[in-house]
Amino acid sequence: MRSLAAGLVKGLCVGLTAVAFFPHQVAAADKAVQIFSPASPLSAHQTAAPGLASGASPDGDVSSHPKRANFGQEPKSRDAGKVADWVVDSGDNSGMPFLILDKVDAKVFVFDTDGTLRGAAPALLGRGKGDDAVPGVGDRKMSEIRPKDRTTPAGRFVALLGVNHNGTDVLWVDYDGAVALHRVVTHNPKERRLERLATSTPLDNRISYGCINVPAKFYDDVVKPLFTGTYGVVYILPETRSCSETFRAFYDVDVRRGTGATAKLDEATEAGLQQQDKKVGGKKARP
């Protein structure tokens, strides 16, 4: 863990209430968040897509034995399966654990470094439909964010665990956009968040300001252990565009049969992530 002096950011994540200590802030009071870090001095949030550079080429050699993600018996959508297979076959996760959020099905899948599923759970996500964050939404007051702007952005993000001022941990997904994955917020009974998670349909899972809510046990037993002491990659699937439009290096393993190329953190990306370290310190997160 980095020292307190080097790793504090402000923010709390709440589900539409002023008393929940989670990655969004509804109350006006500033709350501090300490960022956990592995050995290298990188930040809690990295921007989407440019994080890893893929060595795969559209004209590369074709392998007859592509690698695949192992979902076991867990049901998944076609897009979730294809994105997970692409991640494993291409090595886009660069040896890090990864997580896929299927927004259409409102479901989270968590994988270890080699693509074996460690757990899956329903999720609550942004009330607004769309795959892009409104520019500057992460810096707005909660009262200024219209329902249609409360989106969970699609894309590829390098994530890291952090904790708020009183020790509540969250997984920062998009720091600049103030989006995190955390235990479900239950402070406002009118929102019925637990009931929404328990229903069999994803139609009532749109309630947050953009953060991803998951069952507390799932967070504690699956997400937190796997992401402790390491970075991870979060892939948020689109709902208004295609996967190929969302993930720049994406390919269909069944069509292309893979190349065996491995994605790596390049020097430019490394420098960019370190630059993010200098920015954390005053961020107020949204729910």
Side-chain angles (χ1 to χ4, degrees):
M1 183 186 300
R2 192 179 309 154
S3 68
L4 288 174
L8 291 178
V9 298
K10 296 179 182 177
L12 42 103
C13 200
V14 296
L16 313 186
T17 71
V19 294
F21 295 111
F22 287 93
H24 296 296
Q25 184 171 18
V26 173
D30 290 337
K31 304 297 180 181
V33 175
Q34 179 184 354
I35 300 303
F36 281 100
S37 174
S40 59
L42 306 182
S43 73
H45 162 72
Q46 334 305 344
T47 55
L52 301 178
S54 174
S57 167
D59 300 320
D61 295 333
V62 175
S63 169
S64 60
H65 301 288
K67 298 176 183 178
R68 304 250 183 206
N70 182 5
F71 280 85
Q73 300 301 311
E74 186 65 36
K76 78 261 184 205
S77 69
R78 179 176 180 273
D79 281 349
K82 286 188 175 297
V83 169
D85 284 346
W86 158 66
V87 171
V88 174
D89 188 60
S90 67
D92 191 78
N93 61 319
S94 274
M96 294 182 283
F98 65 97
L99 181 154
I100 292 176
L101 169 62
D102 188 333
K103 291 204 291 179
V104 174
D105 282 356
K107 189 173 183 178
V108 168
F109 303 90
V110 178
F111 297 86
D112 62 17
T113 57
D114 66 2
T116 299
L117 185 71
R118 296 289 292 271
L124 303 180
L125 54 151
R127 181 176 177 180
K129 184 177 181 180
D131 294 321
D132 298 302
V134 175
V137 69
D139 297 317
R140 292 185 190 177
K141 295 179 180 180
M142 301 310 303
S143 60
E144 297 175 351
I145 304 177
R146 298 170 298 178
K148 69 176 184 178
D149 295 338
R150 300 169 190 175
T151 58
T152 300
R156 177 187 177 286
F157 305 88
V158 178
L160 187 65
L161 285 174
V163 297
N164 69 11
H165 74 295
N166 70 341
T168 301
D169 49 294
V170 301
L171 181 69
W172 281 107
V173 176
D174 180 1
Y175 180 78
D176 288 338
V179 176
L181 182 148
H182 56 79
R183 301 173 186 87
V184 59
V185 176
T186 60
H187 293 78
N188 186 350
K190 293 181 179 180
E191 292 177 350
R192 302 182 299 104
R193 294 202 175 199
L194 290 176
E195 291 88 340
R196 291 171 185 269
L197 283 174
T199 61
S200 60
T201 174
L203 298 178
D204 61 353
N205 289 41
R206 313 301 291 259
I207 187 64
S208 81
Y209 274 74
C211 266
I212 306 158
N213 287 217
V214 295
K217 182 174 175 55
F218 178 76
Y219 181 93
D220 291 332
D221 293 350
V222 179
V223 177
K224 184 176 179 180
L226 198 60
F227 283 81
T228 294
T230 183
Y231 296 99
V233 185
V234 172
Y235 300 88
I236 301 180
L237 304 188
E239 58 184 341
T240 62
R241 56 178 180 244
S242 68
C243 291
S244 59
E245 292 174 306
T246 302
F247 308 110
R248 67 177 185 180
F250 174 78
Y251 58 84
D252 189 320
V253 172
D254 289 325
V255 173
R256 186 164 152 199
R257 306 303 293 169
T259 64
T262 301
K264 297 180 180 179
L265 284 168
D266 55 28
E267 292 182 2
T269 296
E270 193 83 39
L273 301 187
Q274 292 179 16
Q275 193 66 24
Q276 285 279 7
D277 256 357
K278 301 176 181 179
K279 299 194 327 187
V280 297
K283 191 67 180 180
K284 296 180 180 180
R286 63 188 177 98

